């Protein structure tokens, strides 16, 4: 049951939710803080603004825009000021506890939660962010339903890394961790999250294409991951990206074996169902490969998340992009456990796509046109995949 009280001295309304996998404490109306069960600050709302604290300790203000939410990183001074005010407010609530009209049990629970989060104050949070940065290569992106996953970097980077619009992994060479390295990574991840692991139900096997590895290596990776993070009721669910090209190179029987080891869903960044546009983007594989991959995964009991991208290909490809994407998803015969996401093209620094498109005389779509294309894609995809979730995917400003 949530705790609810009015401070007899100040008239502030105090609420707290301390059961479950997160602690949420609101010292007064319009001010709220969320923590994992280790007491690590994750998000806050105050002064009419909403913020995320990323695990690397960046503080990001959530903003809304035409093509979905955006985030603004606070400067070090802004972050220090915000955290100072937040923890002063929580300390004030701790001091006010004796006078609040609470049952003894509620007072004991709230005192315990406040002591835990106050012990994880600004200095310790900064140190925690340092540990996170040593533990992980930057987690460049996750599918939208995986933002609370337990990320394990069994591989680093992308095995292809040559799509002309993608700058996610240009900072690193693709490599797979050895079994010993991965075991050490899992141990460090377990120690880093501590009690906070309860918030992170599934494993996301990162980075971009971990499922490209051989079955022999994947068997070892899944076994180690489950050795550390198995749930009492069975294997912890595992999720990962796979390229459309590589997904079809494993048989349904191999996908079924990985499903037995925990693999629940593989996400394919298809971007478009038009082969000419795939070639222009230098994506690996063809639409046929993607359909074959989806059929193999689903036949093995693994659900899929198919990701398309509105706006890519500009005016030149617009019609073929939409029609081809709808036809490709229709041919995948998706079901209720599958998902389709429509992201929006965002120019990434250091990538070639914009210059190549300009040289080819392709006019970029305006923000309004991209929005309209996204809406059209979503509506037509829902019609051909009526049992499947079709949702927007806002990649701008992603942070774990
Ligand atoms: S879009 Fe996917 S396959 Fe292409 S480079 Fe980026 S991560 Fe790799």
């Amino acid at each position: 049951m949530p705790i609810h009280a009015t401070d007899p001295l100040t008239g502030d309304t105090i609420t707290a939710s301390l059961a479950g996998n997160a602690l949420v404490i609101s010292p007064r109306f319009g001010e709220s803080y969320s923590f994992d069960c280790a007491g690590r600050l994750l998000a806050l709302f105050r002064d009419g603004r909403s913020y995320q604290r990323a695990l690397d300790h960046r503080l990001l203000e959530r903003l809304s825009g035409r093509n979905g939410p955006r985030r603004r990183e606070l400067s070090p001074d802004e972050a220090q000021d915000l955290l100072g005010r937040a923890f002063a407010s929580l300390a004030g609530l701790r001091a006010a506890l004796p006078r609040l009209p609470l049952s003894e049990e509620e007072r004991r629970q709230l005192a315990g939660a406040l002591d835990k989060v106050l012990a994880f104050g600004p200095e310790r949070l900064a140190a925690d962010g340092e540990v996170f940065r040593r533990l992980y290569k930057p987690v460049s992106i996750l599918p939208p339903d995986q933002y609370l996953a337990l990320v394990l970097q069994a591989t680093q980077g992308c095995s292809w890394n040559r799509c002309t619009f993608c700058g996610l992994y240009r900072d690193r060479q693709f490599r797979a961790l050895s079994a010993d390295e991965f075991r050490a990574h899992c141990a460090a991840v377990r120690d880093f999250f501590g009690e906070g692991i309860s918030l992170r139900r599934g494993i996301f096997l990162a980075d971009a294409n971990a499922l490209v590895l051989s079955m022999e290596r994947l068997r070892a990776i899944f076994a180690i991951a489950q050795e550390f993070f198995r749930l009492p009721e069975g294997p912890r669910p595992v999720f990962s990206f796979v390229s459309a090209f590589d997904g079809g190179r494993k048989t349904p029987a191999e996908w079924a074996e990985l499903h037995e080891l925990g693999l629940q869903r593989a996400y394919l960044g298809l971007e478009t169902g038009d082969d000419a546009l795939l070639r222009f983007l230098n994506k690996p594989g063809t639409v046929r490969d993607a359909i074959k991959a989806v059929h193999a995964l689903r036949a093995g009991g693994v659900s899929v998340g198919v990701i398309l991208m509105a706006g890519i290909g500009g005016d030149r490809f617009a019609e073929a992009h939409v029609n081809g994407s709808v036809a490709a998803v229709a041919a995948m015969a998706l079901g209720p456990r599958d998902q389709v996401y429509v992201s929006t093209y965002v120019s990434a620094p250091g990538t070639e796509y914009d210059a190549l498109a300009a040289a080819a005389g392709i006019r970029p779509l305006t923000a309004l046109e991209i929005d309209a294309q996204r809406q059209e894609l979503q509506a037509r995809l829902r019609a051909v995949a009526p049992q499947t979730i079709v949702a927007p995917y806002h990649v701008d400003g992603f942070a774990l």
Side-chain angles (χ1 to χ4, degrees):
M1 283 289 286
I3 292 172
H4 186 275
T6 301
D7 187 330
L9 189 66
T10 64
D12 286 333
T13 301
I14 294 125
T15 56
S17 169
L18 308 178
N21 296 323
L23 313 173
V24 183
I25 300 174
S26 170
R28 60 186 54 80
F29 183 73
E31 191 179 325
S32 175
Y33 304 94
S34 303
F35 309 86
D36 69 14
C37 287
R40 175 185 287 112
L41 179 66
L42 300 175
L44 59 152
F45 177 81
R46 58 176 295 152
D47 308 321
R49 292 167 190 263
S50 178
Y51 304 90
Q52 174 191 1
R53 178 189 167 272
L55 290 170
D56 62 8
H57 197 50
R58 283 174 300 149
L59 274 162
L60 306 160
E61 183 180 356
R62 295 183 172 123
L63 306 165
S64 55
R66 165 170 286 283
N67 278 319
R70 293 179 297 113
R71 293 177 173 85
R72 177 186 75 87
E73 184 175 345
L74 271 60
S75 70
D77 284 351
E78 286 176 303
Q80 188 181 8
D81 175 62
L82 180 66
L83 288 180
R85 286 184 291 127
F87 278 89
S89 184
L90 290 161
L93 175 58
R94 180 68 181 88
L97 264 190
R99 65 173 182 259
L100 298 182
L102 297 169
S103 70
E104 277 317 302
E105 177 57 17
E106 287 175 328
R107 199 182 317 280
R108 189 189 64 74
Q109 284 183 15
L110 189 50
L114 282 164
D115 288 344
K116 185 182 266 188
V117 305
L118 287 166
F120 219 137
E123 275 184 24
R124 187 167 161 206
L125 284 172
D128 193 66
E130 283 293 323
V131 174
F132 179 83
R133 278 194 288 268
R134 284 198 298 274
L135 184 50
Y136 285 99
K137 292 275 181 196
V139 179
S140 305
I141 196 72
L142 290 176
D145 61 319
Q146 296 296 318
Y147 288 0
L148 279 177
L150 181 66
V151 175
L152 298 177
Q153 284 177 319
T155 60
Q156 296 171 351
C158 168
S159 57
W160 177 250
N161 217 11
R162 276 174 275 170
C163 300
T164 56
F165 64 94
C166 174
L168 292 172
Y169 303 103
R170 300 268 173 116
D171 63 339
R172 68 200 85 161
Q173 290 266 328
F174 180 77
R175 93 175 180 96
L177 272 62
S178 70
D180 284 349
E181 285 175 316
F182 186 59
R183 188 172 273 110
H185 179 64
C186 289
V189 167
R190 178 196 58 198
D191 295 347
F192 171 77
F193 282 105
E195 284 182 79
I197 221 157
S198 62
L199 188 61
R200 298 172 190 277
R201 192 170 163 78
I203 289 169
F204 193 87
L205 214 52
D207 281 331
N209 195 15
L211 296 174
V212 71
L213 297 180
S214 69
M215 284 300 293
E216 190 186 345
R217 295 189 87 161
L218 286 172
R219 279 185 202 108
I221 285 169
F222 276 68
I224 294 166
Q226 298 299 351
E227 177 188 321
F228 278 87
F229 300 112
R230 188 180 175 85
L231 294 168
E233 62 271 26
R236 191 178 284 261
V238 179
F239 305 82
S240 192
F241 286 120
V242 68
S243 87
F245 182 60
D246 295 305
R249 299 206 300 178
K250 287 192 172 55
T251 65
E254 288 173 325
W255 288 124
E257 185 184 343
L258 293 175
H259 181 55
E260 281 295 305
L261 297 174
L263 182 63
Q264 296 298 308
R265 183 177 302 118
Y267 298 83
L268 285 86
L270 178 60
E271 324 306 352
T272 179
D274 178 48
D275 273 325
L277 181 52
L278 283 177
R279 281 194 299 277
F280 185 73
L281 302 176
N282 201 27
K283 291 283 300 185
T286 63
V287 177
R288 239 177 108 172
D289 292 330
I291 295 168
K292 180 181 167 204
V294 167
H295 288 166
L297 283 155
R298 296 186 78 246
V302 180
S303 67
V304 298
V306 179
I307 302 163
L308 299 161
M309 183 180 279
I312 197 79
D315 65 339
R316 171 87 49 87
F317 290 96
E319 193 179 337
H321 173 36
V322 173
N323 291 339
S325 299
V326 172
V329 169
M332 289 171 182
L334 302 181
R337 290 168 51 239
D338 302 311
Q339 300 169 342
V340 181
Y341 291 111
V342 183
S343 70
T344 301
Y345 171 65
V346 179
S347 178
T351 56
E352 305 81 17
Y353 170 80
D354 288 341
L356 289 170
I362 293 171
R363 178 182 68 78
L365 300 188
T366 64
L368 271 176
E369 287 171 326
I370 293 174
D371 199 31
Q373 188 180 81
R374 184 170 56 77
Q375 308 261 13
E376 183 187 351
L377 271 170
Q378 289 177 189
R380 291 180 58 189
L381 291 165
R382 287 187 184 115
V384 296
Q387 296 179 296
T388 305
I389 290 173
V390 176
Y393 179 7
H394 301 297
V395 296
D396 204 9
F398 164 83
L400 187 62

